[in-house]
Structures are given as C-alpha cells and as structure tokens.
Amino acid sequence: QITLKESGPTLVKPTQTLTLTCTFSGFSLSTSGVGVGWIRQPPGKALEWLALIYWDDDKRYSPSLKSRLTITKDTSKNQVVLTMTNMDPVDTATYYCAHVLYAAFDYWGQGTLVTVSS
Amino acid sequence: EIVLTQSPGTLSLSPGERATLSCRASQSVSSSYLAWYQQKPGQAPRLLIYGASSRATGIPDRFSGSGSGTDFTLTISRLEPEDFAVYYCQQYGSSLTFGQGTKLEIK
C-alpha cells in the first residue's frame, strides 16, 4: 500500500525559504521508473505542478518557478525534500506530494497548508 | 509551455445524466501523457484516467477518457451523487501543466 505524507512549517514569513518533506512508504525511489512530484493549490484555485524527481535522480522543475526550487531525495529514509526560496504571500497554498505513474500522479499525500505572512 | 483549457468552467447536471468535459491543449499532447483527476472539497485529487483513456485502479467504468492531439474528453456515462466535484486534466510533455478545472455541480 502506497502512502505519502507532507510535513513542514504551516507559517513562513515573506522572503524566507520553505522546506517541505514528503515521507512515503509502499515503494522505493531506487526502483526503476519511480518518481515523486510536488504540486500546490492556492485556496480556491487550480492545481500547479512544481517539481519531479525520479529514481535515477533526474529532476524536473516548473519553468516559472525553477529559479526558486530545489528537489532532492533520500532513498534510505524514503523521503523527498522540496525547498522554495524567497517566499511571498502569493505562495500561500496547500502543498501536495504524489507518486508518479506513467506521467500521472496516482497516489497523493493529504497535503499541507502553508501560509506566507509577516 | 503547453496550456490546457478546460470547458465548460461549470457544468450543472442531474444524477443519472451524462457528463462530457473537455480539455483542449495549446499544442499537441502525446496521448500517453494526458490524465484526468477528480477533486472533492478538502481532499487531495484522485487519479481517474491516465494515458488519455486508461482507468486508474478502482475507478468505475462509468468514467471514460478519449481524444488525441489537442482535444481530449472525460465522459461520465451516468452521474452518481458522489461524482459532483471539480475535475482537472493534466499533461506531461516537455513540462507538466494542469487545466484550470471544471466544476460539476448538481442541477
């Protein structure tokens, strides 16, 4: 059974760096073809993809946010970490991590709401 | 970056009716990389369809996907009360994008 769970701060100040951790079980990020992605959703708005990392350490980023994002994995801990620099109130959103299957996200975490405010 | 435009923005139907949701891409999308999701309030999205027409595990057969190139469709053959939700399409080509969503509401 695949599960994922996001963790990190619920409140960050403008200009700070956000660090989110996705802890998963039921699969290994050392298995060929496996990937984990991050997606966010501002309140009442649509989904926005942020980043992906694959078993071979191939990393993909949203072009519009690439300069602010870093995604890494710790295979031994079954974790994927996303950092986003220079946070702004418009980055207030629920942040999800998800397992990748055939270029789609088949298992999702519950999401974590991050508010950016001074 | 490929832009996905979903229509209509809101669809009002009654249980038992057929729902047809559209997703149009600004450039051609490989059918292998087009997916549909359902999201209910306060919940994470749920994968319904991947590869344009393959149902994800546990998805009822009243949900079907079709299309190719720039035009894709999600069809719900006979609406159940639990189907009223927001639906998103997603593509993964050179980058990955979601549509803006279609809200399916009870008429």
Side-chain angles (χ1 to χ4, degrees):
Chain A
Q1 179 191 3
I2 290 176
T3 65
L4 305 99
K5 188 172 184 179
E6 307 85 355
S7 60
T10 58
L11 179 66
V12 297
K13 290 180 168 44
T15 75
Q16 286 187 336
T17 294
L18 172 68
T19 299
L20 294 173
T21 300
C22 176
T23 303
F24 56 85
S25 63
F27 66 95
S28 172
L29 247 183
S30 59
T31 301
S32 178
V34 174
V36 171
W38 286 93
I39 305 99
R40 71 178 179 180
Q41 185 173 37
K45 296 188 177 181
L47 300 165
E48 179 183 21
W49 169 66
L50 301 176
L52 274 171
I53 189 165
Y54 289 100
W55 84 102
D56 60 355
D57 212 36
D58 183 17
K59 301 170 186 178
R60 307 293 174 96
Y61 295 101
S62 165
S64 62
L65 293 167
K66 185 175 183 178
S67 64
R68 299 174 54 205
L69 296 174
T70 303
I71 189 170
T72 60
K73 62 181 175 70
D74 186 330
T75 304
S76 64
K77 292 183 179 179
N78 281 352
Q79 291 181 334
V80 171
V81 175
L82 180 75
T83 61
M84 180 180 291
T85 61
N86 194 24
M87 293 292 285
D88 183 271
V90 300
D91 296 314
T92 293
T94 296
Y95 287 75
Y96 296 99
C97 63
H99 175 271
V100 177
L101 170 72
Y102 301 122
F105 300 105
D106 60 340
Y107 291 92
W108 294 63
Q110 64 191 25
T112 184
L113 176 62
V114 177
T115 301
V116 184
S117 175
S118 55
Chain B
E1 183 176 273
I2 295 176
V3 176
L4 298 179
T5 302
Q6 293 186 240
S7 61
T10 302
L11 184 58
S12 300
L13 294 170
S14 300
E17 291 192 293
R18 180 184 187 91
T20 303
L21 287 67
S22 173
C23 177
R24 179 162 291 179
S26 60
Q27 303 172 45
S28 184
V29 173
S30 168
S31 294
S32 298
Y33 300 144
L34 194 288
W36 289 92
Y37 301 84
Q38 176 194 68
Q39 188 178 32
K40 297 179 180 180
Q43 296 183 16
R46 178 174 70 145
L47 176 66
L48 300 175
I49 302 288
Y50 65 93
S53 60
S54 297
R55 272 188 300 276
T57 302
I59 301 304
D61 60 7
R62 65 179 182 273
F63 290 91
S64 63
S66 63
S68 64
T70 60
D71 289 299
F72 297 87
T73 301
L74 175 69
T75 301
I76 310 171
S77 60
R78 189 175 171 84
L79 285 166
E80 298 287 341
E82 62 267 27
D83 298 337
F84 292 91
V86 179
Y87 291 83
Y88 294 96
C89 57
Q90 171 243 311
Q91 68 80 30
Y92 186 16
S94 58
S95 183
L96 192 155
T97 52
F98 289 90
Q100 84 280 14
T102 289
K103 182 179 181 180
L104 178 57
E105 64 176 25
I106 299 177
K107 186 174 181 179

